[in-house]
Amino acid sequence: MRRPRIVIVGAGFAGYQAARELSRKARGAAEVVLVNPNDYFLYLPLLPEVAAGTLEPRRVTVSLAGTLPGVRVVLGEVHGVDMPGRRVTYADPDGRTGTLDYDRLLLTTGSVNKLLPIPGVAEHAHGFRGMPEALFLRDHVNRQIALAAETEDEEEREARCTFVVVGAGYTGTEVAAQGVRYTDVLARQYGVPRPRWMLLDVAPRVLPSLDERLSATADRVLRERGVEVRTGSSVKEATADGVLLDDGSFVGTRSLVWCVGVRPDPLVEDLGLPTEKGRLCVDEYLTVPGHPEVFACGDAAAVPDLTRPGETTPMTAQHAVRQGKVAAHNIAASCGVGARREYKHNDLGFAVDLGGMQAAANPMKIPLSGPAAGLVTRGYHLASLPGNRVRVLTDWLLNAVLPRQSVQLGLVPKVAVPLDTASPETARLPR
């Protein structure tokens, strides 16, 4: 008898964890195939440190083939799923089309940048969902400071030294907190005035989804570093020369970082199955109704939150990791190994890294700030990383005693990282 084939689409937090669990459970009895555009798992929470020059890119990328023994890794982007035929269609990095038949399918396609109908944003804003965007932003920030030092036009210099971040959630807050420290170093090197950072959000406070004490901690740290935090404010229009705010003021800038949130991968909508706010509907066992052989979890799925009846689990890494493990268990159960179980998880707290030894955290609902929160946050990241722990720790220690490296490599051009893309993890180079 041939081995059943389990195909996992996407190697984010949910997909990676599911693949790791299935490789342990299958022990060769099933073929586990992981389809992903890249050969690595990206640890997204540390991506702001890559953009700020604290960590090197390979520190936050973990090899799939090197850490998932027994799992077949297929490089490609899935463009279609034939439910009746039990087949997925994908395109590899060379543009060639391939197909994979499956007995069980797990959809963990993740999320992409969330767009709003604001004129000019798609053309002039930079997203922050994948490695190419982080590398581009790192070079872009360096380039703006260098160009500001060369120009004799005071208005241009001020615009190039102004950085606007829209969205004061996890990503936007961390990008602003890390970015301002990075540009302070660059400004001293190039001899330009201290750069201006702005953090905008329509919400009444930063980190609006977290406890008010954590929000207050992050707000205080940002303001102490000189970040202009403007709550209840957003962008009305973006141009090549700056942004028009909804209060009528215009801010000259060449750097608009878009961190307003995420939306499920467009593949979910193309499936033609029931969705909730763009996320694929599943039951408490992470199974797609009407398709017992198809499972979904992570940002792509609207998973019922059994701890809050009537709601779905938020799109966080904490839930994605645990859902991936439950999905693997239930897929094995559907193949006759063990009994399936429902997904139920209470949040264990959150951690927001603000750079240096500053952070806001509430492990086990205990609010922390300052160095204590910094230690907890970094300990959490080291424990959560499936690889590269020693390398990450070494980079942190070296950055504590050595000057930060600040060079632009120019490897990712702006055209390669459009804001409106279904694959922020892949650089889009013109053919």
Side-chain angles (χ1 to χ4, degrees):
M1 295 178 63
R2 74 172 183 86
R3 296 184 301 166
R5 175 182 287 169
I6 303 168
V7 174
I8 303 171
V9 180
F13 282 96
Y16 182 87
Q17 289 297 327
R20 187 158 69 171
E21 289 295 314
L22 283 169
S23 69
R24 295 170 178 170
K25 292 177 178 292
R27 298 181 181 276
E31 181 186 9
V32 181
V33 183
L34 178 59
V35 188
N36 196 60
N38 301 305
D39 66 347
Y40 59 79
F41 158 74
L42 174 62
Y43 190 74
L44 270 170
L46 291 180
L47 203 56
E49 295 201 40
V50 173
T54 305
L55 294 176
E56 291 303 308
R58 285 186 296 177
R59 303 294 187 257
V60 301
T61 53
V62 179
S63 168
L64 298 178
T67 58
L68 297 176
V71 174
R72 174 186 166 195
V73 177
V74 175
L75 293 182
E77 288 186 56
V78 172
H79 295 304
V81 180
D82 177 8
M83 296 284 187
R86 295 195 178 189
R87 182 180 296 110
V88 299
T89 304
Y90 66 92
D92 70 11
D94 289 335
R96 298 173 299 183
T97 300
T99 61
L100 283 168
D101 296 329
Y102 63 83
D103 296 287
R104 299 291 184 273
L105 176 65
L106 174 59
L107 296 169
T108 60
T109 51
S111 53
V112 299
N113 292 309
K114 181 180 180 180
L115 298 179
L116 297 177
I118 299 176
V121 165
E123 294 79 14
H124 302 291
H126 314 298
F128 202 83
R129 284 296 298 167
M131 182 62 73
E133 294 172 322
L135 293 178
F136 168 78
L137 183 61
R138 179 172 171 174
D139 279 353
H140 174 80
V141 169
N142 276 45
R143 191 177 305 118
Q144 296 311 304
I145 300 299
L147 291 173
E150 292 299 318
T151 184
E152 296 181 0
D153 186 320
E154 188 63 33
E155 185 176 339
E156 180 186 348
R157 180 183 296 112
E158 184 177 345
R160 292 193 182 279
C161 288
T162 299
F163 302 89
V164 179
V165 181
V166 183
Y170 290 102
T171 303
T173 298
E174 292 186 344
V175 167
Q178 299 279 0
V180 68
R181 299 178 73 238
Y182 186 39
T183 54
D184 282 350
V185 173
L186 294 173
R188 288 193 295 270
Q189 292 177 350
Y190 282 96
V192 299
R194 190 184 188 200
R196 176 189 184 190
W197 280 79
M198 297 178 64
L199 179 61
L200 312 177
D201 202 300
V202 294
R205 57 187 175 90
V206 300
L207 300 172
S209 62
L210 298 188
D211 183 275
E212 290 190 12
R213 287 172 291 186
L214 299 183
S215 174
T217 296
D219 186 277
R220 174 181 53 78
V221 172
L222 289 169
R223 293 180 188 275
E224 287 177 351
R225 290 182 183 168
V227 178
E228 297 178 36
V229 179
R230 296 194 184 187
T231 55
S233 178
S234 189
V235 173
K236 185 177 181 180
E237 182 181 359
T239 70
D241 297 321
V243 293
L244 176 65
L245 304 185
D246 53 8
D247 62 1
S249 61
F250 184 83
V251 178
T253 181
R254 303 294 189 272
S255 308
L256 176 61
V257 188
W258 195 253
C259 303
V260 298
V262 296
R263 58 190 171 97
D265 190 287
L267 176 65
V268 172
E269 184 178 353
D270 295 340
L271 296 175
L273 297 173
T275 60
E276 181 178 337
K277 295 182 179 179
R279 303 169 74 186
L280 189 62
C281 292
V282 297
D283 60 22
E284 65 272 26
Y285 300 102
L286 309 180
T287 306
V288 176
H291 298 274
E293 77 286 355
V294 181
F295 300 76
C297 59
D299 289 356
V303 179
D305 191 341
L306 300 184
T307 66
R308 300 180 301 170
E311 299 185 33
T312 56
T313 58
M315 300 163 75
T316 65
Q318 185 177 149
H319 279 290
V321 168
R322 287 161 177 79
Q323 288 170 8
K325 294 179 180 179
V326 172
H329 180 88
N330 290 344
I331 289 173
S334 73
C335 295
V337 180
R340 66 177 186 167
R341 63 173 182 240
E342 60 188 19
Y343 176 75
K344 185 177 183 180
H345 170 67
N346 289 294
D347 287 334
L348 300 178
F350 298 92
V352 181
D353 192 344
L354 301 174
M357 286 306 296
Q358 294 294 325
N362 63 338
M364 308 303 293
K365 308 303 180 183
I366 302 173
L368 298 175
S369 62
L375 288 172
V376 168
T377 299
R378 297 207 161 182
Y380 168 78
H381 288 319
L382 289 176
S384 300
L385 267 169
N388 300 339
R389 295 188 181 97
V390 174
R391 290 185 172 92
V392 169
L393 179 59
T394 300
D395 273 6
W396 282 339
L397 293 175
L398 288 175
N399 274 284
V401 297
L402 296 177
R404 189 181 309 212
Q405 291 182 305
S406 54
V407 295
Q408 53 175 307
L409 301 178
L411 299 178
V412 183
K414 182 177 180 179
V415 295
V417 285
L419 183 64
D420 188 7
T421 175
S423 301
E425 70 275 16
T426 304
R428 296 297 180 185
L429 297 178
R431 294 185 181 275

